[in-house]
Amino acid sequence: YAVEWRVINAAEYGMPQRRRRIFFIGYHKSTTAYKNLVKAKTKDWLTKTGTIAKAFPVDETDFIREVELEGNLVDITNNFNVGGKLSPFLNSGMLVKGKVYTAKTTPIYKGKRIVLGDLLQNGEVTEEYFIKDKLLKNPKVILNKDGTERVISTEIEMWDYLKGSKSEKRITNDGFEYNYSEGRMIYPDALDNASRTIITGEGGKSPSRFKHVINSDRGLRRLTPIELERLNMFPDRHTELDEVSDAKRAFFMGNALVVGVIEKIGIELQKQINS
């Protein structure tokens, strides 16, 4: 096989979620696409004529790093880049006959951009998704660095706490005390930008630092399964089945890809196959 890859952030090409993933295509040596890749100039394939470059345009680059893969697969697995401080692989690249060509590319996109606010349901959202200012069954006591205590007693206070900046003392179960700090997240989530990456813990009612929360005309609320499907560009209710809970549907979307990326690669791959 010859292989090409690219790190693609869906939002950089107008899609509704900031989700950065590596996409690989392998071309068997018997295929026309393989022959096209082998004959092409490396820079041209990575930036203009290759399958991924056609689907997701990038600026041209004059810097191509070459890396030779020496030895058998076991040797490469055990010894590749041992002692190296940084990976030699950049965000775009290809592997042909044991030699890697890799480059740092910059996306080009001037089309329409879909933002979180474009995908929201309106009056259809049920009460379970709204954050209530109700008392917690088990209030949380925070020990500040100066030794004072802070008590989190309501659900909305817990959301504020988890999303906010922290500088506090924490104690492990075996009594070890340490200082913990982290920065504030954007809260509520911005509606005029692509969403943050959906993760598998998106579902469920419990407060969380990483779940999406938006400000609607009815107050703060979590995202619905349909909205999460839309952020990955699935059809509405794609995951709606009798035996699947809404929390599990959210888990599925946290574990999925933005299918708009797959679709665009598929269209260009079909052209390569048929060329």
Side-chain angles (χ1 to χ4, degrees):
Y1 287 86
V3 178
E4 71 166 318
W5 76 85
R6 172 91 68 80
V7 180
I8 299 173
N9 182 347
E12 290 179 334
Y13 290 94
M15 299 181 197
Q17 185 185 168
R18 300 196 296 275
R19 196 178 192 95
R20 184 180 288 106
R21 296 293 182 268
I22 308 174
F23 296 86
F24 296 87
I25 305 176
Y27 303 95
H28 192 264
K29 63 183 181 180
S30 65
T31 62
T32 302
Y34 175 94
K35 295 170 182 130
N36 291 343
L37 184 151
V38 170
K39 286 189 298 184
K41 291 182 180 179
T42 300
K43 184 178 80 168
D44 287 347
W45 187 272
L46 291 179
T47 62
K48 291 189 293 187
T49 62
T51 307
I52 299 177
K54 289 277 192 181
F56 296 99
V58 291
D59 278 330
E60 289 194 42
T61 177
D62 291 323
F63 175 74
I64 306 289
R65 177 183 292 164
E66 297 186 14
V67 181
E68 190 82 38
L69 297 182
E70 298 177 344
N72 59 39
L73 288 177
V74 175
D75 293 335
I76 294 169
T77 300
N78 291 336
N79 302 314
F80 182 75
N81 203 40
V82 170
K85 292 184 178 179
L86 296 173
S87 168
F89 298 120
L90 301 173
N91 69 345
S92 299
M94 54 197 278
L95 165 69
V96 185
K97 298 179 180 177
K99 183 170 280 190
V100 172
Y101 306 89
T102 184
K104 174 71 169 68
T105 56
T106 304
I108 297 174
Y109 182 76
K110 296 179 180 178
K112 179 179 177 357
R113 294 185 181 273
I114 308 170
V115 298
L116 176 55
D118 295 332
L119 305 182
L120 300 181
Q121 293 181 272
N122 296 317
E124 311 158 61
V125 180
T126 57
E127 284 298 314
E128 63 183 301
Y129 290 98
F130 288 86
I131 295 172
K132 308 295 184 184
D133 195 17
K134 63 181 182 182
L135 292 175
L136 296 172
K137 291 181 180 178
N138 298 302
K140 183 178 180 66
V141 179
I142 309 301
L143 183 62
N144 298 316
K145 272 190 175 181
D146 61 6
T148 60
E149 290 186 350
R150 175 188 173 192
V151 179
I152 309 295
S153 58
T154 69
E155 183 178 303
I156 203 147
E157 285 176 354
M158 180 59 80
W159 281 100
D160 288 339
Y161 164 71
L162 292 172
K163 297 282 190 179
S165 60
K166 301 171 191 62
S167 181
E168 58 195 46
K169 292 184 181 293
R170 292 187 176 181
I171 303 173
T172 64
N173 291 334
D174 56 4
F176 176 73
E177 186 176 292
Y178 63 98
N179 292 324
Y180 180 85
S181 62
E182 63 184 3
R184 182 173 183 81
M185 297 187 71
I186 294 176
Y187 173 69
D189 283 89
L191 300 181
D192 59 354
N193 196 1
S195 80
R196 292 181 293 108
T197 305
I198 306 167
I199 63 171
T200 53
E202 187 75 37
K205 298 179 181 180
S206 59
S208 162
R209 179 171 174 82
F210 301 107
K211 293 174 185 176
H212 290 71
V213 172
I214 63 160
N215 197 7
S216 74
D217 56 1
R218 294 160 58 194
L220 293 171
R221 68 167 177 86
R222 297 179 292 112
L223 297 183
T224 68
I226 288 177
E227 291 165 343
L228 297 172
E229 289 167 342
R230 291 174 180 176
L231 289 177
N232 273 329
M233 303 180 74
F234 282 89
D236 285 5
R237 297 183 169 81
H238 183 77
T239 59
E240 187 177 70
L241 297 167
D242 289 341
E243 65 272 22
V244 177
S245 67
D246 284 355
K248 181 61 74 174
R249 291 174 68 188
F251 175 89
F252 290 158
M253 288 300 98
N255 210 31
L257 293 169
V258 179
V259 294
V261 176
I262 311 301
E263 182 179 24
K264 289 178 73 68
I265 291 175
I267 290 168
E268 294 302 329
L269 182 58
Q270 185 179 42
K271 292 177 184 177
Q272 285 285 353
I273 291 168
N274 293 333
S275 65

